[in-house]
Amino acid sequence: DFRGADAAIKRCKKLDLAIQAGGCVGVWPRYLRTIFSKVYTFEPSIENYGLLVRNLGDLDITRYHAALSNKVGRCGLKLNPKNCGDDQTIDGDEVETLTIDWLEESPDLIYLDIQGDEYLAIKGAEQTLQRCSPIIGIEVDNKLARLKGDAVALLKELGYVQFGKIHQDYLFERLI
């Protein structure tokens, strides 16, 4: 269901670059690539990443086998055997972590469904958000937000206002 993404896309001033995380098996980056000139996707699970690569084929989408976070480094993964879209990062050394700021890009849309790591990803994007004010969509799980950090409060501190909520997806824009 792409209704949250569609509502966010309507607020984008340009459709040049979307940064999407929780690439999972490739459905979201594939959809966004039908709209945006460039799409970057992030998926930390090696199994999901392999499926993502296979499912995206030769589509021009930049793929990272990495988790988005607040720092470049490494993390572990706790896999959910019943739901491949519910794998979560933990302390450890299994997979690379990157930041959106590290990319040094100017996204028009950032869309995150990363099982409670939205807060860390936004922390790692603060310079990008200040510089180019992309539209942001994040999945909010209140239980995970209490454990890992409140991305909604952080976005508000950074000057963003919520303009929509569709299911668990909260949509934000920065009024300049």
Side-chain angles (χ1 to χ4, degrees):
D1 181 344
F2 299 111
R3 284 180 286 170
D6 290 338
I9 290 163
K10 286 179 183 163
R11 299 282 181 118
C12 291
K13 292 177 180 63
K14 298 185 322 261
L15 300 174
D16 293 336
L17 173 61
I19 295 174
Q20 181 275 331
C24 199
V25 298
V27 174
W28 277 85
R30 175 181 286 279
Y31 178 71
L32 292 172
R33 185 59 183 86
T34 66
I35 298 160
F36 289 85
S37 300
K38 291 188 296 187
V39 173
Y40 294 178
T41 188
F42 295 79
E43 175 53 50
S45 158
I46 189 66
E47 184 178 351
N48 287 350
Y49 184 76
L51 292 168
L52 177 144
V53 167
R54 190 172 79 207
N55 290 336
L56 294 181
D58 60 1
L59 278 176
D60 184 18
I61 295 173
T62 302
R63 307 137 200 217
Y64 293 92
H65 175 230
L68 282 179
S69 190
N70 62 329
K71 62 185 185 304
V72 173
R74 301 204 54 87
C75 70
L77 283 178
K78 181 176 113 187
L79 304 180
N80 181 340
K82 294 181 180 160
N83 179 355
C84 71
D86 191 35
D87 299 340
Q88 295 179 23
T89 62
I90 56 174
D91 287 341
D93 193 37
E94 288 175 62
V95 70
E96 186 174 24
T97 61
L98 298 173
T99 70
I100 290 173
D101 288 342
W102 172 85
L103 294 169
E104 296 183 339
E105 291 282 359
S106 297
D108 304 298
L109 174 70
I110 296 173
Y111 216 90
L112 307 173
D113 179 355
I114 49 178
Q115 307 321 109
D117 285 342
E118 289 81 4
Y119 176 84
L120 292 175
I122 297 299
K123 288 296 282 180
E126 287 186 70
Q127 294 169 8
T128 301
L129 301 186
Q130 292 296 332
R131 183 172 36 81
C132 59
S133 303
I135 300 298
I136 297 179
I138 58 170
E139 183 186 66
V140 175
D141 177 315
N142 290 320
K143 180 181 167 199
L144 289 173
R146 284 190 296 277
L147 293 172
K148 293 187 163 194
D150 185 349
V152 171
L154 177 57
L155 284 166
K156 290 178 179 176
E157 286 172 28
L158 295 172
Y160 275 80
V161 295
Q162 185 177 337
F163 68 84
K165 176 182 180 288
I166 298 175
H167 304 297
Q168 285 187 281
D169 292 355
Y170 289 58
L171 310 174
F172 295 87
E173 66 186 334
R174 190 160 160 243
L175 305 175
I176 307 167

